[in-house]
């Protein structure tokens, strides 16, 4: 059963389709009955939720994520709680429930207190939710805070992402010179050449 969880985990982390990995449900039931193996139980619940999410079964996905939270809370696993709440945010955002998604990203940031790069990702997501909700000032604050965290973590890719978000913000408020300034900064830090075409689109 551990192999099943590890296999889905590996596929998930490499952005492969896991919608057909339904054996994870058997692993979930197996570990749920073995109360001593709390880490595996939490992971099995989480990846069951991830499979349901890819299947667009949002209610089932949320149920599994909540179960993962319960187990992670019992073992005081803050990293797992951060991961689950972040994904709950993504799940809600996919359904255009931006205010609820924002709350989940805020919770995730709290659980990632010792991981600035994860907090930076949370702030990136929070900023996007603020923008989609029409709260532009809060969006910029979140993006800039995320950028500071990414700088502290010395993570160029995250800095590039946050700079790109800030560029989109300034484009949205029609401050095009600032938008291009931040886009150029983002481009300099970007190490993924497959993203180059995206920069050209954003400049148009």
């Amino acid at each position: 059963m551990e192999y099943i969880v590890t296999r889905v985990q590996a596929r998930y982390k490499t952005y492969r389709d896991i919608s057909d990995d339904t054996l994870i449900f058997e692993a979930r039931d197996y570990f749920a009955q073995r109360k001593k193996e709390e880490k595996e139980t939490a992971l099995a619940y989480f990846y069951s939720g991830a499979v349901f999410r890819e299947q667009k079964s949002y209610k089932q996905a949320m149920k599994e994520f909540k179960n993962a939270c319960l187990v992670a809370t019992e073992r005081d696993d803050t990293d797992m709680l951060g991961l689950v709440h972040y994904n709950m945010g993504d799940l809600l955002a996919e359904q255009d429930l931006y205010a609820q998604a924002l709350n989940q990203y805020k919770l995730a940031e709290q659980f990632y207190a010792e991981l600035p790069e994860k907090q930076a990702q949370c702030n990136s997501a929070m900023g996007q939710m603020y923008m989609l909700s029409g709260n532009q000032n809060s969006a910029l604050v979140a993006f800039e805070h995320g950028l500071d965290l990414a700088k502290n973590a010395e993570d160029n890719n995250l800095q590039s992402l946050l700079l790109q978000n800030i560029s989109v913000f300034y484009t949205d408020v029609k401050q095009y010179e600032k938008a291009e300034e931040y886009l150029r900064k983002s481009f300099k830090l970007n190490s993924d050449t497959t993203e180059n075409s995206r920069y050209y689109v954003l400049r148009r």
Side-chain angles (χ1 to χ4, degrees):
M1 290 298 174
E2 289 182 8
Y3 168 76
I4 294 172
V5 176
T6 302
R7 180 177 181 274
V8 177
Q9 184 179 40
R11 289 168 62 83
Y12 178 85
K13 287 186 174 181
T14 53
Y15 305 101
R16 296 172 66 185
D17 181 16
I18 60 171
S19 59
D20 292 330
D21 287 320
T22 54
L23 283 177
I24 191 66
F25 304 144
E26 292 184 21
R28 171 203 62 195
D29 294 341
Y30 172 80
F31 286 116
Q33 293 173 7
R34 298 166 64 88
K35 295 183 179 180
K36 291 183 179 180
E37 300 182 59
E38 292 178 340
K39 181 178 180 180
E40 289 78 8
T41 304
L43 287 170
Y45 275 129
F46 173 74
Y47 288 111
S48 291
V51 169
F52 277 126
R53 178 183 164 193
E54 289 206 6
Q55 294 176 347
K56 307 299 182 185
S57 299
Y58 295 127
K59 288 184 179 180
Q60 284 295 111
M62 184 60 76
K63 178 182 176 182
E64 302 294 347
F65 286 156
K66 287 181 177 178
N67 285 332
C69 276
L70 288 174
V71 178
T73 300
E74 289 176 1
R75 63 191 307 268
D76 195 26
D77 188 339
T78 54
D79 287 351
M80 173 59 73
L81 286 166
L83 174 67
V84 177
H85 281 291
Y86 189 92
N87 278 269
M88 288 169 75
D90 284 350
L91 179 66
L92 291 163
E94 286 180 21
Q95 300 170 77
D96 300 332
L97 300 171
Y98 305 131
Q100 294 178 47
L102 177 62
N103 289 334
Q104 294 300 323
Y105 292 134
K106 287 180 177 179
L107 285 171
E109 183 192 23
Q110 293 174 20
F111 287 115
Y112 282 139
E114 304 299 322
L115 298 169
E117 67 279 8
K118 295 291 186 180
Q119 287 190 313
Q121 292 175 354
C122 290
N123 275 272
S124 174
M126 287 158 58
Q128 291 171 33
M129 294 304 101
Y130 279 127
M131 284 191 67
L132 289 167
S133 301
N135 191 342
Q136 309 292 20
N137 291 336
S138 294
L140 184 58
V141 170
F143 288 146
E144 289 182 336
H145 182 50
L147 181 59
D148 288 339
L149 289 164
K151 287 178 179 177
N152 291 337
E154 299 182 349
D155 190 318
N156 285 347
N157 288 332
L158 270 177
Q159 289 181 60
S160 178
L161 171 65
L162 270 300
L163 288 164
Q164 189 177 120
N165 286 337
I166 295 173
S167 174
V168 172
F169 164 82
Y170 280 118
T171 298
D172 196 55
V173 297
K174 296 180 172 53
Q175 295 187 36
Y176 300 116
E177 289 185 6
K178 273 185 170 287
E180 183 161 354
E181 174 189 342
Y182 280 95
L183 189 64
R184 289 181 182 277
K185 290 179 180 179
S186 174
F187 181 77
K188 287 180 181 179
L189 290 171
N190 177 56
S191 60
D192 185 355
T193 56
T194 63
E195 287 285 309
N196 288 352
S197 59
R198 177 177 170 80
Y199 284 95
Y200 297 134
V201 170
L202 288 170
R203 288 187 62 188
R204 291 179 181 177

